[in-house]
Amino acid sequence: MKESQDRQKSYADRRRKDLEFEVGDMVYLKTVTYKGKDRSSKNAKLSPRYMGPYKILERIGKVAYKLELPSSMAQFHNVFHVSLLRKCIRNQDNVVPEPPSDLRENLTVEGRPVQIIGRKTKPEGRKNIKMIQVVWDCDGEEETTWEPEARMKAEFPKWFDKLTEDSGRKTRR
């Protein structure tokens, strides 16, 4: 048993790197982008993954750091785990703009539907599920996904009602 544990530990240690920062270092803070209601972004290859840089004020324990956050992020707790930080090599070259206005406490941004660009039915077992192709606005970045129509109506009823009224006006002309 011990031999097996040691072997697994050696595999894990090959990929592990211990990060340590000094007080006064500049670091980037990791963000997570969400689309829709509490859903992680699938197509986020080119979206920014870090914001900052922010200055480290103090080290708390072995793996936590206190950061100097801007006033727009005052509602956030300013202590972060080392896994959410990345060292800033150049201080002012890669400055990401201020955090988005709808940034939540768990560092996520909720996407907003912009328009429907396609419809289809997807067979699942004995049922056919109506799907719509939605263009999302995730803080200025546009992404497209297929979503169940029923879920979209439940989560965004006002937006969906407005959309059907607009399409009704077009058909009356």
Side-chain angles (χ1 to χ4, degrees):
M1 182 79 149
K2 175 70 172 143
E3 183 180 323
S4 172
Q5 289 174 343
D6 290 342
R7 186 179 326 108
Q8 291 299 320
K9 183 179 182 328
S10 72
Y11 295 153
D13 287 345
R14 284 184 201 163
R15 305 195 77 178
R16 182 174 293 138
K17 54 183 176 179
D18 295 328
L19 292 176
E20 288 191 16
F21 302 107
E22 301 293 325
V23 174
D25 283 352
M26 299 297 278
V27 293
Y28 290 111
L29 180 61
K30 186 172 189 164
T31 59
V32 182
T33 305
Y34 275 65
K35 266 189 317 202
K37 192 113 176 138
D38 298 322
R39 241 177 102 174
S40 63
S41 176
K42 292 179 187 173
N43 226 357
K45 282 185 178 180
L46 301 176
S47 62
R49 289 184 174 40
Y50 293 89
M51 60 183 175
Y54 303 113
K55 185 177 182 179
I56 293 179
L57 297 177
E58 128 184 45
R59 183 176 181 166
I60 300 174
K62 291 183 178 182
V63 293
Y65 292 91
K66 186 175 186 177
L67 301 182
E68 181 181 358
L69 299 177
S71 59
S72 60
M73 293 178 66
Q75 73 270 17
F76 294 103
H77 187 65
N78 59 355
V79 177
F80 296 94
H81 190 268
V82 70
S83 64
L84 295 174
L85 304 175
R86 174 172 277 175
K87 181 142 178 128
C88 176
I89 308 286
R90 300 181 199 140
N91 279 347
Q92 296 301 323
D93 290 346
N94 300 358
V95 176
V96 177
E98 284 294 312
S101 59
D102 56 347
L103 188 68
R104 294 194 217 146
E105 289 184 24
N106 59 355
L107 299 178
T108 62
V109 177
E110 183 174 341
R112 293 168 296 284
V114 177
Q115 84 183 87
I116 295 174
I117 58 174
R119 294 179 184 269
K120 71 177 181 180
T121 56
K122 179 180 172 185
E124 277 196 19
R126 295 182 181 179
K127 296 180 184 177
N128 286 330
I129 298 176
K130 292 181 181 179
M131 303 288 284
I132 55 176
Q133 192 173 17
V134 180
V135 176
W136 295 91
D137 176 28
C138 297
D139 192 38
E141 299 289 326
E142 287 193 354
E143 297 182 19
T144 306
T145 60
W146 285 97
E147 305 290 340
E149 186 174 339
R151 188 178 66 78
M152 289 298 292
K153 282 184 179 179
E155 290 181 14
F156 302 100
K158 291 182 182 179
W159 180 81
F160 221 90
D161 292 341
K162 179 182 159 192
L163 186 67
T164 54
E165 287 174 12
D166 290 346
S167 63
R169 287 183 194 149
K170 290 177 185 174
T171 57
R172 284 186 224 150
R173 290 181 182 169

